[in-house]
Amino acid sequence: MSDETGTPRTPAGSTGPRPEPIRLFGTTWVDHGHGYAARRIAVAVGSLAAAVASCLVLRLAYQGLQIAAIGDFVTVLMVAMFAICSALAFRHTWDGYTRRPDPDRQASLRGLLTVGFVGSLLAYFFRSLTEAPGEKLHREEYEEARRQYEKRTTRRSGNPRNRRRA
């Protein structure tokens, strides 16, 4: 059902809907071919490794604050900030896999998502254990577009001039 590049084939001359590519997966999510499983494994391992490396960097930053002896209050604030931002980033990223995020809200949360990058990486990891991140949303949209396209094309079949008038 797809060519060598993983792009689903459509009949020659068809103007039907095409699946939207997902980052790192292209359109292999449509029929789960062309290395889809290997990509999911690589994405899961990569996002978990990035989250672990990020936690190590945050640990070094925490140790730097301890060495600087800036006080317990600031240290607690920093740990709380990263924990809260990571939890919010996890939730925002997780919700983004089931519905399209609002661009204005996304722009306003950019700073929070940057600080909570560990939460976003963990959400990406957990989602990649079951599907390509965002696959469910893309599949629903693609199948709805195909249904609408089929509905439009079957309704228009035939030449209207050849219809008998009653």
Side-chain angles (χ1 to χ4, degrees), residues 7-165:
T7 304
R9 283 188 246 152
T10 56
S14 173
T15 58
R18 298 213 180 254
E20 183 179 343
I22 296 176
R23 182 182 301 147
L24 303 176
F25 291 91
T27 56
T28 60
W29 59 268
V30 175
D31 59 0
H32 292 189
H34 300 285
Y36 172 81
R39 289 178 193 207
R40 267 200 32 221
I41 291 168
V43 163
V45 169
S47 60
L48 184 61
V52 168
S54 300
C55 287
L56 291 175
V57 170
L58 289 176
R59 174 70 180 159
L60 289 173
Y62 176 77
Q63 287 176 341
L65 289 177
Q66 284 183 327
I67 292 170
I70 58 172
D72 290 337
F73 180 71
V74 174
T75 304
V76 168
L77 280 178
M78 188 201 81
V79 170
M81 174 194 63
F82 275 107
I84 292 169
C85 288
S86 290
L88 292 172
F90 180 92
R91 183 64 187 181
H92 179 76
T93 304
W94 191 264
D95 287 344
Y97 297 136
T98 56
R99 64 178 183 268
R100 294 276 179 185
D102 178 31
D104 294 333
R105 185 170 186 262
Q106 185 84 6
S108 68
L109 292 176
R110 186 170 292 134
L112 181 131
L113 295 174
T114 302
V115 173
F117 62 98
V118 175
S120 292
L121 289 169
L122 289 175
Y124 203 79
F125 166 72
F126 286 120
R127 186 56 118 187
S128 64
L129 294 177
T130 57
E131 67 177 9
E135 178 181 343
K136 181 179 178 183
L137 175 66
H138 283 77
R139 188 171 302 283
E140 288 171 356
E141 291 174 349
Y142 178 61
E143 288 176 357
E144 178 61 27
R146 287 186 56 90
R147 271 193 297 277
Q148 292 294 327
Y149 178 75
E150 292 296 324
K151 187 176 174 182
R152 285 191 313 265
T153 56
T154 57
R155 200 174 6 165
R156 293 183 196 161
S157 63
N159 188 344
R161 285 192 216 173
N162 294 338
R163 290 193 183 146
R164 295 182 186 171
R165 294 186 185 191

